[in-house]
Amino acid sequence: MGERTGEGQQVEVNLLSSLLSALANRASTHVVTGAVPQAMGNLHPSIAPYEVFATADRPVAIAAANDKLFRLPAEGIERPELVDDPRFASNAGRVAHRAVLTAELEDALTGHGADHWFDLLSSKGVPCGPINDLGKAFELARTLGLDPVHEVPGEDGRAPVPTVSHPISMSRTPATYRTAPPPSPPEETRP
């Protein structure tokens, strides 16, 4: 637009509107019906399995949003009989019997760690991923070729200070890091 008109525009993004928009079907249900959805944790209200499951070491999210995707993790965890179980033959049945299905899946998933299941299931085309703590999240970012930490030069001879990198990459006007945060006060002056 600016190239055609020579005019720019102000862009405003606020966190609350972003959050409401990201709630997608839950927010739309409220807007259309007035019903207030209840907290469900990491469960999808109308798809199963589409949630976080326990493994031997840390949780893994699995999003099997249709019958074909349900078959893949069932086979991957060596529980193909779940697909033929009448309770789980359709998404509606899986949602209605979610607690039983979750117990069946976790029984198999707890036999190995999250990375094992991620490698196995994602290779079959199942949308899934381990739940990372912050250390693993930074490690993953580095593995993906991202630069999640930037060293800001220290002032007055102090060592460089690591800081979380700016999340937006712009080719012509990249983020700059000009000043380090102030040094921490000595222990005896802290509240």
mmCIF file of all heavy atoms in Angstrom, residues 129-161:
data_model
loop_
_atom_site.group_PDB
_atom_site.id
_atom_site.type_symbol
_atom_site.label_atom_id
_atom_site.label_comp_id
_atom_site.label_asym_id
_atom_site.label_seq_id
_atom_site.Cartn_x
_atom_site.Cartn_y
_atom_site.Cartn_z
ATOM 1 N N GLY A 129 3.868 -33.316 19.579
ATOM 2 C CA GLY A 129 5.100 -32.706 20.038
ATOM 3 C C GLY A 129 5.238 -32.805 21.538
ATOM 4 O O GLY A 129 4.244 -32.750 22.266
ATOM 5 N N PRO A 130 6.480 -32.981 22.004
ATOM 6 C CA PRO A 130 6.705 -33.019 23.451
ATOM 7 C C PRO A 130 6.474 -31.643 24.060
ATOM 8 O O PRO A 130 6.632 -30.632 23.394
ATOM 9 C CB PRO A 130 8.174 -33.440 23.582
ATOM 10 C CG PRO A 130 8.772 -33.323 22.232
ATOM 11 C CD PRO A 130 7.688 -33.173 21.234
ATOM 12 N N ILE A 131 6.077 -31.635 25.311
ATOM 13 C CA ILE A 131 5.913 -30.384 26.047
ATOM 14 C C ILE A 131 7.283 -30.019 26.612
ATOM 15 O O ILE A 131 7.859 -30.779 27.399
ATOM 16 C CB ILE A 131 4.881 -30.521 27.181
ATOM 17 C CG1 ILE A 131 3.546 -31.045 26.646
ATOM 18 C CG2 ILE A 131 4.728 -29.209 27.923
ATOM 19 C CD1 ILE A 131 2.853 -30.155 25.647
ATOM 20 N N ASN A 132 7.793 -28.888 26.205
ATOM 21 C CA ASN A 132 9.131 -28.470 26.608
ATOM 22 C C ASN A 132 9.111 -27.538 27.810
ATOM 23 O O ASN A 132 8.242 -26.668 27.907
ATOM 24 C CB ASN A 132 9.824 -27.731 25.449
ATOM 25 C CG ASN A 132 10.123 -28.640 24.291
ATOM 26 O OD1 ASN A 132 10.493 -29.787 24.473
ATOM 27 N ND2 ASN A 132 9.955 -28.131 23.084
ATOM 28 N N ASP A 133 10.099 -27.710 28.693
ATOM 29 C CA ASP A 133 10.326 -26.678 29.698
ATOM 30 C C ASP A 133 11.128 -25.584 28.994
ATOM 31 O O ASP A 133 11.477 -25.705 27.810
ATOM 32 C CB ASP A 133 11.046 -27.240 30.931
ATOM 33 C CG ASP A 133 12.406 -27.848 30.620
ATOM 34 O OD1 ASP A 133 13.045 -27.484 29.612
ATOM 35 O OD2 ASP A 133 12.867 -28.691 31.417
ATOM 36 N N LEU A 134 11.436 -24.496 29.665
ATOM 37 C CA LEU A 134 12.132 -23.393 29.000
ATOM 38 C C LEU A 134 13.502 -23.792 28.476
ATOM 39 O O LEU A 134 13.899 -23.384 27.387
ATOM 40 C CB LEU A 134 12.267 -22.196 29.951
ATOM 41 C CG LEU A 134 11.086 -21.244 29.942
ATOM 42 C CD1 LEU A 134 11.278 -20.133 30.979
ATOM 43 C CD2 LEU A 134 10.833 -20.665 28.580
ATOM 44 N N GLY A 135 14.228 -24.606 29.229
ATOM 45 C CA GLY A 135 15.541 -25.041 28.764
ATOM 46 C C GLY A 135 15.436 -25.796 27.453
ATOM 47 O O GLY A 135 16.187 -25.552 26.504
ATOM 48 N N LYS A 136 14.471 -26.725 27.382
ATOM 49 C CA LYS A 136 14.284 -27.492 26.154
ATOM 50 C C LYS A 136 13.745 -26.616 25.026
ATOM 51 O O LYS A 136 14.033 -26.850 23.855
ATOM 52 C CB LYS A 136 13.379 -28.682 26.414
ATOM 53 C CG LYS A 136 14.018 -29.736 27.297
ATOM 54 C CD LYS A 136 13.680 -31.114 26.806
ATOM 55 C CE LYS A 136 14.309 -32.183 27.643
ATOM 56 N NZ LYS A 136 15.630 -32.547 27.222
ATOM 57 N N ALA A 137 12.939 -25.605 25.360
ATOM 58 C CA ALA A 137 12.419 -24.702 24.330
ATOM 59 C C ALA A 137 13.556 -23.910 23.687
ATOM 60 O O ALA A 137 13.609 -23.770 22.459
ATOM 61 C CB ALA A 137 11.376 -23.763 24.925
ATOM 62 N N PHE A 138 14.487 -23.404 24.493
ATOM 63 C CA PHE A 138 15.634 -22.684 23.935
ATOM 64 C C PHE A 138 16.518 -23.632 23.128
ATOM 65 O O PHE A 138 17.021 -23.279 22.063
ATOM 66 C CB PHE A 138 16.442 -21.998 25.047
ATOM 67 C CG PHE A 138 15.890 -20.653 25.421
ATOM 68 C CD1 PHE A 138 14.951 -20.539 26.422
ATOM 69 C CD2 PHE A 138 16.314 -19.509 24.772
ATOM 70 C CE1 PHE A 138 14.429 -19.301 26.768
ATOM 71 C CE2 PHE A 138 15.805 -18.267 25.100
ATOM 72 C CZ PHE A 138 14.855 -18.153 26.106
ATOM 73 N N GLU A 139 16.684 -24.859 23.615
ATOM 74 C CA GLU A 139 17.467 -25.860 22.895
ATOM 75 C C GLU A 139 16.824 -26.170 21.536
ATOM 76 O O GLU A 139 17.503 -26.250 20.516
ATOM 77 C CB GLU A 139 17.552 -27.126 23.757
ATOM 78 C CG GLU A 139 18.372 -28.243 23.186
ATOM 79 C CD GLU A 139 18.360 -29.444 24.134
ATOM 80 O OE1 GLU A 139 18.588 -29.275 25.356
ATOM 81 O OE2 GLU A 139 18.096 -30.555 23.636
ATOM 82 N N LEU A 140 15.514 -26.317 21.521
ATOM 83 C CA LEU A 140 14.799 -26.581 20.271
ATOM 84 C C LEU A 140 14.974 -25.415 19.299
ATOM 85 O O LEU A 140 15.219 -25.623 18.105
ATOM 86 C CB LEU A 140 13.308 -26.820 20.539
ATOM 87 C CG LEU A 140 12.423 -26.972 19.301
ATOM 88 C CD1 LEU A 140 12.849 -28.186 18.472
ATOM 89 C CD2 LEU A 140 10.963 -27.071 19.710
ATOM 90 N N ALA A 141 14.864 -24.188 19.794
ATOM 91 C CA ALA A 141 15.030 -23.022 18.930
ATOM 92 C C ALA A 141 16.408 -23.036 18.265
ATOM 93 O O ALA A 141 16.540 -22.787 17.067
ATOM 94 C CB ALA A 141 14.824 -21.735 19.719
ATOM 95 N N ARG A 142 17.436 -23.363 19.043
ATOM 96 C CA ARG A 142 18.794 -23.440 18.477
ATOM 97 C C ARG A 142 18.887 -24.561 17.444
ATOM 98 O O ARG A 142 19.475 -24.393 16.379
ATOM 99 C CB ARG A 142 19.821 -23.640 19.584
ATOM 100 C CG ARG A 142 20.048 -22.407 20.430
ATOM 101 C CD ARG A 142 21.149 -22.626 21.488
ATOM 102 N NE ARG A 142 21.125 -21.559 22.447
ATOM 103 C CZ ARG A 142 20.498 -21.597 23.625
ATOM 104 N NH1 ARG A 142 19.864 -22.684 24.003
ATOM 105 N NH2 ARG A 142 20.524 -20.568 24.433
ATOM 106 N N THR A 143 18.285 -25.711 17.742
ATOM 107 C CA THR A 143 18.297 -26.845 16.819
ATOM 108 C C THR A 143 17.630 -26.484 15.489
ATOM 109 O O THR A 143 18.047 -26.938 14.436
ATOM 110 C CB THR A 143 17.564 -28.056 17.446
ATOM 111 O OG1 THR A 143 18.219 -28.410 18.652
ATOM 112 C CG2 THR A 143 17.530 -29.249 16.514
ATOM 113 N N LEU A 144 16.600 -25.645 15.538
ATOM 114 C CA LEU A 144 15.885 -25.229 14.338
ATOM 115 C C LEU A 144 16.589 -24.111 13.585
ATOM 116 O O LEU A 144 16.093 -23.632 12.572
ATOM 117 C CB LEU A 144 14.467 -24.784 14.706
ATOM 118 C CG LEU A 144 13.553 -25.877 15.264
ATOM 119 C CD1 LEU A 144 12.237 -25.287 15.740
ATOM 120 C CD2 LEU A 144 13.323 -26.964 14.229
ATOM 121 N N GLY A 145 17.758 -23.691 14.089
ATOM 122 C CA GLY A 145 18.507 -22.639 13.418
ATOM 123 C C GLY A 145 18.084 -21.238 13.806
ATOM 124 O O GLY A 145 18.482 -20.263 13.155
ATOM 125 N N LEU A 146 17.294 -21.118 14.838
ATOM 126 C CA LEU A 146 16.896 -19.795 15.326
ATOM 127 C C LEU A 146 17.975 -19.291 16.282
ATOM 128 O O LEU A 146 18.795 -20.058 16.768
ATOM 129 C CB LEU A 146 15.542 -19.880 16.038
ATOM 130 C CG LEU A 146 14.396 -20.454 15.197
ATOM 131 C CD1 LEU A 146 13.150 -20.591 16.054
ATOM 132 C CD2 LEU A 146 14.130 -19.582 13.983
ATOM 133 N N ASP A 147 17.961 -18.023 16.549
ATOM 134 C CA ASP A 147 18.921 -17.430 17.480
ATOM 135 C C ASP A 147 18.123 -16.833 18.632
ATOM 136 O O ASP A 147 17.820 -15.643 18.631
ATOM 137 C CB ASP A 147 19.752 -16.361 16.762
ATOM 138 C CG ASP A 147 20.892 -15.832 17.605
ATOM 139 O OD1 ASP A 147 21.213 -16.447 18.642
ATOM 140 O OD2 ASP A 147 21.458 -14.791 17.233
ATOM 141 N N PRO A 148 17.745 -17.654 19.628
ATOM 142 C CA PRO A 148 16.837 -17.186 20.666
ATOM 143 C C PRO A 148 17.460 -16.284 21.727
ATOM 144 O O PRO A 148 16.749 -15.687 22.522
ATOM 145 C CB PRO A 148 16.331 -18.481 21.292
ATOM 146 C CG PRO A 148 17.486 -19.419 21.144
ATOM 147 C CD PRO A 148 18.102 -19.065 19.819
ATOM 148 N N VAL A 149 18.792 -16.193 21.740
ATOM 149 C CA VAL A 149 19.469 -15.372 22.749
ATOM 150 C C VAL A 149 20.416 -14.415 22.033
ATOM 151 O O VAL A 149 21.107 -14.791 21.094
ATOM 152 C CB VAL A 149 20.263 -16.253 23.746
ATOM 153 C CG1 VAL A 149 21.028 -15.405 24.755
ATOM 154 C CG2 VAL A 149 19.329 -17.213 24.457
ATOM 155 N N HIS A 150 20.418 -13.175 22.491
ATOM 156 C CA HIS A 150 21.328 -12.173 21.931
ATOM 157 C C HIS A 150 22.187 -11.620 23.070
ATOM 158 O O HIS A 150 21.674 -11.352 24.151
ATOM 159 C CB HIS A 150 20.535 -11.045 21.269
ATOM 160 C CG HIS A 150 21.402 -10.086 20.545
ATOM 161 N ND1 HIS A 150 21.822 -10.319 19.256
ATOM 162 C CD2 HIS A 150 21.951 -8.913 20.926
ATOM 163 C CE1 HIS A 150 22.591 -9.319 18.874
ATOM 164 N NE2 HIS A 150 22.674 -8.452 19.871
ATOM 165 N N GLU A 151 23.464 -11.473 22.802
ATOM 166 C CA GLU A 151 24.380 -10.903 23.795
ATOM 167 C C GLU A 151 24.402 -9.383 23.634
ATOM 168 O O GLU A 151 24.729 -8.869 22.566
ATOM 169 C CB GLU A 151 25.796 -11.450 23.590
ATOM 170 C CG GLU A 151 25.919 -12.948 23.818
ATOM 171 C CD GLU A 151 26.007 -13.312 25.285
ATOM 172 O OE1 GLU A 151 26.490 -12.505 26.093
ATOM 173 O OE2 GLU A 151 25.580 -14.437 25.621
ATOM 174 N N VAL A 152 24.020 -8.679 24.683
ATOM 175 C CA VAL A 152 24.045 -7.221 24.687
ATOM 176 C C VAL A 152 25.354 -6.788 25.332
ATOM 177 O O VAL A 152 25.692 -7.267 26.421
ATOM 178 C CB VAL A 152 22.847 -6.642 25.472
ATOM 179 C CG1 VAL A 152 22.894 -5.124 25.491
ATOM 180 C CG2 VAL A 152 21.533 -7.147 24.887
ATOM 181 N N PRO A 153 26.107 -5.901 24.656
ATOM 182 C CA PRO A 153 27.379 -5.470 25.248
ATOM 183 C C PRO A 153 27.171 -4.878 26.642
ATOM 184 O O PRO A 153 26.237 -4.111 26.873
ATOM 185 C CB PRO A 153 27.883 -4.399 24.272
ATOM 186 C CG PRO A 153 27.134 -4.649 23.004
ATOM 187 C CD PRO A 153 25.824 -5.249 23.393
ATOM 188 N N GLY A 154 28.030 -5.278 27.563
ATOM 189 C CA GLY A 154 27.955 -4.736 28.914
ATOM 190 C C GLY A 154 28.505 -3.317 28.955
ATOM 191 O O GLY A 154 29.323 -2.927 28.126
ATOM 192 N N GLU A 155 28.043 -2.545 29.903
ATOM 193 C CA GLU A 155 28.519 -1.174 30.041
ATOM 194 C C GLU A 155 29.588 -1.104 31.120
ATOM 195 O O GLU A 155 29.655 -1.938 32.012
ATOM 196 C CB GLU A 155 27.344 -0.256 30.381
ATOM 197 C CG GLU A 155 26.329 -0.171 29.253
ATOM 198 C CD GLU A 155 25.153 0.728 29.597
ATOM 199 O OE1 GLU A 155 25.127 1.317 30.693
ATOM 200 O OE2 GLU A 155 24.251 0.829 28.749
ATOM 201 N N ASP A 156 30.414 -0.090 31.020
ATOM 202 C CA ASP A 156 31.454 0.168 32.025
ATOM 203 C C ASP A 156 32.335 -1.050 32.261
ATOM 204 O O ASP A 156 32.653 -1.402 33.408
ATOM 205 C CB ASP A 156 30.822 0.617 33.356
ATOM 206 C CG ASP A 156 29.995 1.888 33.197
ATOM 207 O OD1 ASP A 156 30.377 2.739 32.358
ATOM 208 O OD2 ASP A 156 28.971 2.013 33.885
ATOM 209 N N GLY A 157 32.708 -1.740 31.184
ATOM 210 C CA GLY A 157 33.626 -2.868 31.289
ATOM 211 C C GLY A 157 32.993 -4.164 31.755
ATOM 212 O O GLY A 157 33.686 -5.157 31.965
ATOM 213 N N ARG A 158 31.679 -4.166 31.964
ATOM 214 C CA ARG A 158 31.013 -5.395 32.385
ATOM 215 C C ARG A 158 30.946 -6.379 31.220
ATOM 216 O O ARG A 158 30.983 -5.999 30.058
ATOM 217 C CB ARG A 158 29.584 -5.111 32.881
ATOM 218 C CG ARG A 158 29.546 -4.389 34.221
ATOM 219 C CD ARG A 158 28.119 -4.252 34.773
ATOM 220 N NE ARG A 158 27.279 -3.468 33.865
ATOM 221 C CZ ARG A 158 26.050 -3.823 33.496
ATOM 222 N NH1 ARG A 158 25.502 -4.923 33.942
ATOM 223 N NH2 ARG A 158 25.352 -3.077 32.670
ATOM 224 N N ALA A 159 30.825 -7.628 31.545
ATOM 225 C CA ALA A 159 30.707 -8.687 30.534
ATOM 226 C C ALA A 159 29.401 -8.522 29.762
ATOM 227 O O ALA A 159 28.442 -7.926 30.274
ATOM 228 C CB ALA A 159 30.741 -10.049 31.207
ATOM 229 N N PRO A 160 29.334 -9.057 28.547
ATOM 230 C CA PRO A 160 28.074 -9.017 27.797
ATOM 231 C C PRO A 160 26.952 -9.677 28.606
ATOM 232 O O PRO A 160 27.183 -10.597 29.389
ATOM 233 C CB PRO A 160 28.368 -9.815 26.536
ATOM 234 C CG PRO A 160 29.852 -9.786 26.393
ATOM 235 C CD PRO A 160 30.395 -9.722 27.800
ATOM 236 N N VAL A 161 25.734 -9.190 28.388
ATOM 237 C CA VAL A 161 24.573 -9.688 29.115
ATOM 238 C C VAL A 161 23.658 -10.423 28.136
ATOM 239 O O VAL A 161 23.222 -9.834 27.140
ATOM 240 C CB VAL A 161 23.806 -8.520 29.773
ATOM 241 C CG1 VAL A 161 22.581 -9.023 30.522
ATOM 242 C CG2 VAL A 161 24.723 -7.734 30.701
#
